[in-house]
Amino acid sequence: MSVIVVVGSQWGDEGKGKIVDLISESVDVVVRYQGGANAGHTIFVNNKKFVLHLIPSGIVRNNILCIIGNGVVLDPTAFFEELEFLEDNKIKTSNRILILPNTHLVLPFHKVIDKLNEQGNDKIGTTGRGIGPAYTDKYYRLGIRAIDLFNDDYLINILKRNLAIKNSLAKSYYEVNEFSFESTLNYLFEIRNKLKEYIVKDSTIVSRLLEEGKKILLEGAQGALLDVDHGTYPFVTSSNPTIGGAITGTGIPSKRISEIIGVTKAYCTRVGDGPFPTELNNEMGDHIREYGNEYGATTGRPRRCGWLDLPALKYSAKINGFDSLAITKLDVLSQLDKISICTAYKLNGEIIDYFPIDTTTLYNVEPVYKEFEGWGTSIQGLRKIEQLPANARKYLEFIEENIKVKIKIISTGFERNDTIII
Ligand code: GDP
Ligand code: IMO
Ligand code: MG
């Protein structure tokens, strides 16, 4: 029984790409289970940078089969661009990528609608990749799945019904030109020829590979606090990055999961709008952004930075059931004399013992901090736990004791091997 799940425990960009790449050395198959080209997963191998949006992070290693799960919304244009980028960078992709037949597609009009929705004052700060509108169509039962590309009657009918609604909105609500049925259908015909070789017929292939004894890693995108059910709604993405998404998004039985790893940045970042209790809107926040190079891997936007938030992390561990944590970017804190961790939230002067799920409350909580002494020396690239300065160990032990989950991986740099494995 071997299915490892890698889940982001915060607001995304925790370093999932690096951790997936690291662990995938010992697996046969990597499956992305949700999200779409809103993700940006960065991997550095021998100083060469790869940013993956849709294709599982296992692609960077040879011989790993990469599967795009049905929980993903796949933008064919972004997919082909990524294939080209990989091939240009000498990564062999042929016969290594499969798309489940029930994976929904992101179409050009989804991206237009995403951007139109973001024009008002009440924006979410989305990545503009059409994610929300594509998942809306999925749940509206007007979405187009990979397999539907090969059923002309169904495809034409569903596209007509879909665009009838979209175009009524285009005219009366968005006040933009109608979306063209012909050009969308032409786009679908064009991409289906190119997508054909990747789309499998059997939607249970992940389960089948598991039965054949293959070791499988399920790769999450975004993070628990961006989950549409459990995150800081409405400032969330439109899928389930949490553990449930790994099951529905790949079609494997939940009993087969052997380990759930929560990837956790040693501090917090958030890109896009929404509450962020430990945000540092000051020089310290700017310092962390510069040292941590906290700029979006997909949109290039500066990420909001703040101290590690234990109430949020505890909540994340509770809903995901983490077996272990992978702490990333500890090296980024090495420059600091003092480092804080938020240990609790106060609401109206009283400590609260739950994570508030409504944003109005979350905007109003006051973080309670515990201050730690810095370690005053670079830890970049360290590979052995014994090499970590005592104060860095204290910082990590405090996290373990509070979250009650063992830290099994400590990342000390962006390179693949800049890692301590415990
Ligand atoms: P993901 O979306 O969770 O895969 O994370 P991103 O790739 O969007 O952002 C993480 C960033 O931190 C990337 O630029 C990584 O190369 C980088 N990174 C990952 N782990 C470490 C680490 O331990 N130290 C440093 N300095 N950078 C890291
Ligand atoms: P990875 O996988 C960080 C954020 C957006 C916005 C919200 C909704 O790299 O960790 P969407 O485009 O999904 O409708 O935007 O979610 N967001 C991410 N933030 N990392 C990501 O992915 C994200 N994907 C979406 O900034 O706040
Ligand atoms: Mg990212």
Side-chain angles (χ1 to χ4, degrees), residues 8 11-17 32 34-42 52-53 114 118 124-133 135 219-223 226 234-239 269-274 296-299 301 303-304:
W11 280 284
D13 301 330
E14 298 90 350
K16 298 176 292 295
R32 247 294 286 282
Q34 46 67 238
N38 49 350
H41 294 182
T42 316
L52 297 155
H53 302 286
D114 193 1
E118 288 285 284
I124 303 293
T126 73
T127 59
R129 299 298 191 267
I131 305 300
Y135 279 112
E219 175 180 10
Q222 291 82 51
L226 287 172
F235 299 99
V236 292
T237 192
S238 300
S239 66
T269 61
R270 173 164 205 167
V271 59
D273 298 337
T298 295
T299 58
R301 292 179 291 178
R303 294 175 182 151
R304 300 156 65 193

Side-chain angles (χ1 to χ4, degrees), residues 106-159:
V106 176
L107 301 179
F109 59 73
H110 291 131
K111 289 183 268 190
V112 175
I113 293 170
D114 193 1
K115 286 179 189 130
L116 288 168
N117 286 342
E118 288 285 284
Q119 280 176 358
N121 286 334
D122 295 321
K123 66 182 180 60
I124 303 293
T126 73
T127 59
R129 299 298 191 267
I131 305 300
Y135 279 112
T136 303
D137 277 354
K138 169 173 174 171
Y139 289 99
Y140 212 93
R141 289 160 292 180
L142 287 177
I144 292 169
R145 300 168 308 163
I147 195 67
D148 301 332
L149 292 171
F150 307 101
N151 181 342
D152 282 11
D153 290 346
Y154 180 82
L155 185 65
I156 288 168
N157 182 271
I158 200 100
L159 183 63

Side-chain angles (χ1 to χ4, degrees), residues 35-69:
N38 49 350
H41 294 182
T42 316
I43 299 166
F44 275 87
V45 187
N46 299 328
N47 241 338
K48 206 165 162 46
K49 181 180 179 182
F50 299 90
V51 181
L52 297 155
H53 302 286
L54 272 168
I55 296 175
S57 300
I59 198 75
V60 175
R61 289 184 188 269
N62 288 332
N63 308 322
I64 289 184
L65 179 66
C66 292
I67 302 183
I68 296 184

Side-chain angles (χ1 to χ4, degrees), residues 219-287:
E219 175 180 10
Q222 291 82 51
L225 303 173
L226 287 172
D227 186 283
V228 69
D229 284 278
H230 302 288
T232 51
Y233 192 91
F235 299 99
V236 292
T237 192
S238 300
S239 66
N240 291 118
T242 52
I243 188 64
I247 297 154
T248 55
T250 58
I252 61 145
S254 60
K255 281 183 192 156
R256 305 301 300 269
I257 291 173
S258 43
E259 187 173 7
I260 306 168
I261 302 175
V263 184
T264 304
K265 210 177 264 190
Y267 47 93
C268 276
T269 61
R270 173 164 205 167
V271 59
D273 298 337
F276 181 1
T278 62
E279 182 169 15
L280 292 162
N281 268 319
N282 54 22
E283 276 180 16
M284 183 59 82
D286 295 343
H287 175 97

Side-chain angles (χ1 to χ4, degrees), residues 121-194:
N121 286 334
D122 295 321
K123 66 182 180 60
I124 303 293
T126 73
T127 59
R129 299 298 191 267
I131 305 300
Y135 279 112
T136 303
D137 277 354
K138 169 173 174 171
Y139 289 99
Y140 212 93
R141 289 160 292 180
L142 287 177
I144 292 169
R145 300 168 308 163
I147 195 67
D148 301 332
L149 292 171
F150 307 101
N151 181 342
D152 282 11
D153 290 346
Y154 180 82
L155 185 65
I156 288 168
N157 182 271
I158 200 100
L159 183 63
K160 269 191 190 146
R161 288 170 51 214
N162 188 316
L163 284 184
I165 297 173
K166 293 276 172 337
N167 282 334
S168 136
L169 285 172
K171 214 162 133 191
S172 61
Y173 179 73
Y174 293 114
E175 298 177 344
V176 294
N177 291 336
E178 291 193 353
F179 302 109
S180 157
F181 171 80
E182 284 72 25
S183 66
T184 312
L185 191 63
N186 284 341
Y187 174 79
L188 291 168
F189 284 163
E190 203 180 294
I191 55 127
R192 75 173 171 188
N193 296 323
K194 293 203 278 173

